[in-house]
Amino acid sequence: MTNLFDLSGRVALVTGANTGIGQGLAVALAEAGADVALVGRSAADETAALVRAAGRRAQLIGADLSTIEPVQAVVDRTLDALGGLDILVNNAGIIRRADALDFSEADWDAVIDTNLKSLFFLCQAAGRHMVGQGKGKIINIASMLSFQGGVRVPSYTASKSGVAGLTRLLANEWAAKGVNVNAIAPGYIATNNTAALQADETRNRQILERIPTGRWGSPSDLGGAAVFLASSASDYVNGHILAVDGGWLAR
Ligand code: NAP
């Protein structure tokens, strides 16, 4: 029987792949058969070793996605080095915390530029290639704050709500051209991004009390959703924001 989840022969590009969720997703895609371009500002040597240990090719591509300047080169280098581009995972992201009354323009711009602007233009650059070849899979990393307001993270909430909207818009434009655009909305995942929350005893307890599974997620908890959205198994799934949250949104 055909394995609908097999990614053999596909090339994936994952941003922010040196650590956390990006590393987990890159490894999951490699274990399902994909070669992976590991894109980011910190070298993803550890992730490359894990991808190669899974028997797949890894290509390191240095890029600072706080501006859109490197976006086209990132796509071109992936095509040159790995011979194709079938799957884009827009994972790189940052967060800045401050009361809305005090929030600075610098913290607004930094988060919007990385989480939303670079994400859109990377979708555009990859999308031109994917629409041209008549197939492709784009997975944007959204958040619980694509659905909820949050507190003290205005630019993050704006960016991740924007990611959900853009995912739907791009799905509308490209679904008929063979390109699936979807998002994964992780719940509370133990990474550098959430280290401050995990270390805050009160917030940690409040978070755990609300998660039906009663635990933080790990990057590997997101791998199945990524393989699904990257594979033929999701060919009729378009513009969906898939929460992988241990039940958080069900509460
Ligand atoms: P993380 O451990 O802090 O990883 C963030 C990744 O993004 C790192 O690889 C980082 O590279 C990269 N990055 C940040 N700014 C960049 C830039 N200017 N150029 C290139 N790469 C850049 O956080 P994470 O938790 O894995 O987060 C990954 C994604 O999941 C983010 O979009 C985040 O918003 C989202 N998310 C996380 C959670 C969670 O609970 N952890 C929940 C919902 C959504 P450096 O190491 O070089 O900084």
Side-chain angles (χ1 to χ4, degrees):
M1 188 182 134
T2 312
N3 179 356
L4 285 173
F5 298 91
D6 184 16
L7 300 181
S8 299
R10 313 266 174 96
V11 173
L13 186 170
V14 180
T15 66
N18 61 306
T19 185
I21 291 172
Q23 181 177 71
L25 299 183
V27 171
L29 295 175
E31 287 174 346
D35 296 323
V36 193
L38 307 167
V39 176
R41 59 186 175 185
S42 305
D45 296 314
E46 184 181 277
T47 312
L50 293 167
V51 167
R52 289 176 189 133
R56 306 301 163 189
R57 292 182 295 161
Q59 176 67 41
L60 298 176
I61 301 177
D64 181 348
L65 295 169
S66 60
T67 75
I68 65 167
E69 190 269 327
V71 158
Q72 188 59 50
V74 159
V75 169
D76 292 343
R77 282 207 59 204
T78 303
L79 292 169
D80 285 349
L82 296 175
L85 177 56
D86 306 290
I87 301 155
L88 167 65
V89 181
N90 272 307
N91 165 78
I94 56 172
I95 192 164
R96 299 279 168 86
R97 297 176 197 279
D99 292 341
L101 288 175
D102 303 322
F103 209 77
S104 70
E105 184 178 1
D107 282 345
W108 178 269
D109 287 345
V111 173
I112 296 292
D113 284 352
T114 301
N115 295 14
L116 192 59
K117 187 174 178 182
S118 290
L119 175 143
F120 171 72
F121 283 98
L122 203 42
C123 285
Q124 183 188 65
R128 285 176 176 151
H129 173 78
M130 291 175 176
V131 167
Q133 70 185 5
K135 66 182 172 71
K137 302 275 184 175
I138 296 179
I139 304 168
N140 294 322
I141 302 305
S143 163
M144 295 293 96
L145 300 190
S146 302
F147 302 97
Q148 302 176 304
V151 282
R152 304 188 72 248
V153 287
S155 56
Y156 188 80
T157 300
S159 73
K160 294 298 185 176
S161 297
V163 167
L166 277 179
T167 299
R168 297 187 189 102
L169 173 134
L170 295 172
N172 291 338
E173 293 202 17
W174 296 345
K177 301 178 190 299
V179 179
N180 297 73
V181 187
N182 292 289
I184 294 173
Y188 283 81
I189 311 296
T191 66
N192 299 336
N193 176 298
T194 52
L197 285 180
Q198 294 167 70
D200 180 332
E201 212 174 295
T202 309
R203 287 288 288 128
N204 188 48
R205 180 174 39 76
Q206 289 168 342
I207 288 166
L208 287 176
E209 277 170 3
R210 191 190 148 148
I211 302 175
T213 49
R215 67 171 177 86
W216 284 75
S218 71
S220 62
D221 284 316
L222 302 168
V227 171
F228 168 61
L229 292 177
S231 70
S232 307
S234 61
D235 280 352
Y236 202 59
V237 179
N238 301 85
H240 187 67
I241 319 296
L242 176 54
V244 182
D245 64 351
W248 172 274
L249 288 179
R251 288 295 274 270

